[in-house]
Amino acid sequence: MAKIGKVVVLAVLFVCNSMFGVACSDSRSTRESDPGGRDPLDFLSQPFDEQEAIDFIGSPLPAGATGLHIAGESALDTIVVARFDAPQDDVTTWMADLGITEPLEPGHSPFYSADPPLAEAADWWAPPAAGSTTAEFSGVYQQIGAKYYYIVATELEDGRVRVHLQVHNT
């Protein structure tokens, strides 16, 4: 008789568990998708304006910088990417002002891909990636405090370089 009682209890538990599982199986949202195609988690990310991005970098860009493109955002971590052209000597001074003590290494790129890390940079972000042989460039990666700096300087003409910079924390 005890066996029959156990079987009945197990059968009741099985049926209840099955009904609970069926009731919860379709947990998809019935809300309409956003017609603008926005990510529903966009509220977690705050885009930076130009000055906020420069402030996060930690030092004003070189005085001779031209052709500035910059994008940044703060979410669980913060990231800024920038591209500008400047005289090589100004870039060297600017890097020292940032606290970068490692020299630019010829032929080195800390970027494993030329893909932009932020969608806003898609039209202008194209640094030489690691292993690239398409241009004369130098690069460096260095952590300073809680920030990580990736810099590639591609030689242009008249002693100028095109700088691709990525700075992030965490």
Side-chain angles (χ1 to χ4, degrees):
M1 190 74 159
K3 281 187 174 182
I4 292 175
K6 288 181 181 178
V7 170
V8 170
V9 169
L10 287 174
V12 169
L13 287 173
F14 177 78
V15 169
C16 289
N17 193 26
S18 296
M19 289 173 45
F20 180 76
V22 168
C24 296
S25 68
D26 190 10
S27 60
R28 291 176 288 171
S29 173
T30 57
R31 291 180 30 206
E32 293 291 322
S33 62
D34 185 340
R38 293 180 301 147
D39 184 339
L41 299 177
D42 275 351
F43 71 94
L44 294 174
S45 175
Q46 299 298 317
F48 281 177
D49 64 26
E50 182 176 313
Q51 189 57 54
E52 290 171 322
I54 291 171
D55 290 345
F56 180 75
I57 290 169
S59 180
L61 298 177
T66 59
L68 174 64
H69 298 277
I70 195 163
E73 69 180 27
S74 179
L76 296 175
D77 59 359
T78 301
I79 184 171
V80 169
V81 292
R83 189 193 86 189
F84 58 88
D85 300 341
Q88 175 66 57
D89 292 341
D90 290 357
V91 171
T92 302
T93 302
W94 170 74
M95 288 174 53
D97 291 345
L98 284 172
I100 295 176
T101 57
E102 298 294 323
L104 289 166
E105 181 182 332
H108 170 71
S109 176
F111 301 112
Y112 295 107
S113 168
D115 294 337
L118 296 172
E120 297 84 0
D123 292 339
W124 49 265
W125 183 264
S132 176
T133 58
T134 59
E136 294 292 322
F137 62 91
S138 300
V140 66
Y141 161 80
Q142 187 171 341
Q143 179 180 352
I144 302 172
K147 294 182 185 175
Y148 303 85
Y149 291 81
Y150 305 76
I151 300 173
V152 168
T154 305
E155 293 180 19
L156 298 174
E157 46 193 52
D158 300 330
R160 296 178 66 79
V161 293
R162 172 157 293 157
V163 174
H164 284 86
L165 166 72
Q166 178 178 322
V167 183
H168 68 89
N169 59 11
T170 56

